[in-house]
Amino acid sequence: MNQNLLQSRAAGVTAMAAVAASQTGFAVMHLTQSHAVDPVATPVSSYAVTWPGIVLFPASVLALALACAVLAGRGVGLAREGFIRFLLGATSVMLVCAAVFRTGTPESGLTWWAQIHRYTAGAAFVLLTVVAALCAIRMKDADVPDWVRRGTWWATGLAALTFLTTTVNTFLPGFLNGGEWRGVVQRVLLVVLSALVWILVANSVRAMAPVGAVPARITTPAATAAAGRVPAGAGRFANAQAAGQVGDAVPALAGTRS
């Protein structure tokens, strides 16, 4: 993809729209499939096996992958961010795999494609959490708005906590009966990481915004003479300056009355 295109304002707006589309898709799935999917006990990927989640789930995940891919190409508005951009690119790939390979059903069980979905989705969450932590550390001394810095720190803490919780609930469902409420934690994690991506896109757009025009400098006779454009009446002052007589001329002029 063309580097200039990725660094354009249109690319930043596209990434923001992709995050918004992703969240809208997940919201619609929750509203339209509330009778078929239990948001408390079941993972988010359960929406992918019934209508309209069959379409909306991969579309929403791919939209988030697009936002991460744009960020990987244009950066997040920080210095020395090569590794962060690499992680965002890897996150985009993991999200694409999670969208393409559907989760299993009670009838199919944990198939090989369901395992690919599970581990690539988990890898995407891990990578985004690491991105959040690295960005939060880099933003400590960077010239970024305070809301960006605070938002990134909050996203880092919440993402780490919710990811740890959902991991325990997935692999140890009997621990504190976590398997009965793991869906809530997964949904919180999804919202937090989507908000993180939006914050990073917003900071990227801010950092790449065109700098305003530099105000015109006040032209002095000396500067004008140096540029070869001497106005009428300024030649004698310019010649005096060139001859080293400015120091003597200024006091004399100061004592002259019109």
Side-chain angles (χ1 to χ4, degrees):
M1 195 175 294
N2 187 279
Q3 186 68 20
N4 292 332
L5 178 61
L6 285 172
Q7 293 180 352
S8 66
R9 180 175 179 81
V13 173
T14 299
M16 283 189 171
V19 177
S22 176
Q23 284 301 294
T24 301
F26 283 116
V28 172
M29 282 187 287
H30 279 74
L31 293 175
T32 57
Q33 297 174 251
S34 58
H35 63 284
V37 179
D38 181 7
V40 176
T42 57
V44 179
S45 56
S46 299
Y47 290 105
V49 298
T50 56
W51 181 263
I54 295 175
V55 175
L56 288 179
F57 180 84
S60 300
V61 176
L62 288 174
L64 190 60
L66 174 60
C68 291
V70 173
L71 277 178
R74 66 186 275 126
V76 297
L78 297 172
R80 295 179 292 107
E81 56 182 10
F83 186 56
I84 292 174
R85 293 170 64 175
F86 169 79
L87 293 179
L88 285 167
T91 300
S92 180
V93 174
M94 294 298 104
L95 288 173
V96 169
C97 292
V100 171
F101 295 95
R102 194 177 67 174
T103 188
T105 63
E107 294 77 19
S108 66
L110 190 59
T111 59
W112 63 269
W113 62 82
Q115 294 189 50
I116 293 177
H117 169 84
R118 169 184 287 189
Y119 290 110
T120 53
F125 287 154
V126 170
L127 291 171
L128 276 179
T129 303
V130 174
V131 167
L134 291 176
C135 288
I137 295 172
R138 298 282 179 85
M139 286 179 181
K140 183 178 180 180
D141 300 319
D143 183 20
V144 298
D146 188 59
W147 70 269
V148 172
R149 184 180 295 106
R150 290 179 180 273
T152 306
W153 274 112
W154 273 104
T156 301
L158 289 174
L161 178 62
T162 52
F163 179 77
L164 176 62
T165 304
T166 192
T167 301
V168 173
N169 291 347
T170 298
F171 294 99
L172 297 174
F175 182 72
L176 298 177
N177 295 323
E180 298 180 4
W181 48 271
R182 63 173 177 163
V184 174
V185 186
Q186 281 195 7
R187 285 155 179 81
V188 172
L189 178 62
L190 179 63
V191 171
V192 170
L193 292 179
S194 297
L196 168 72
V197 175
W198 191 91
I199 290 172
L200 296 181
V201 173
N203 191 62
S204 176
V205 172
R206 178 201 63 82
M208 293 188 178
V211 181
V214 179
R217 296 180 181 179
I218 300 176
T219 304
T220 63
T224 306
R229 299 186 299 272
V230 182
R236 183 168 55 184
F237 182 82
N239 292 337
Q241 184 187 29
Q245 299 172 358
V246 177
D248 296 330
V250 171
L253 291 173
T256 303
R257 295 186 180 181
S258 57

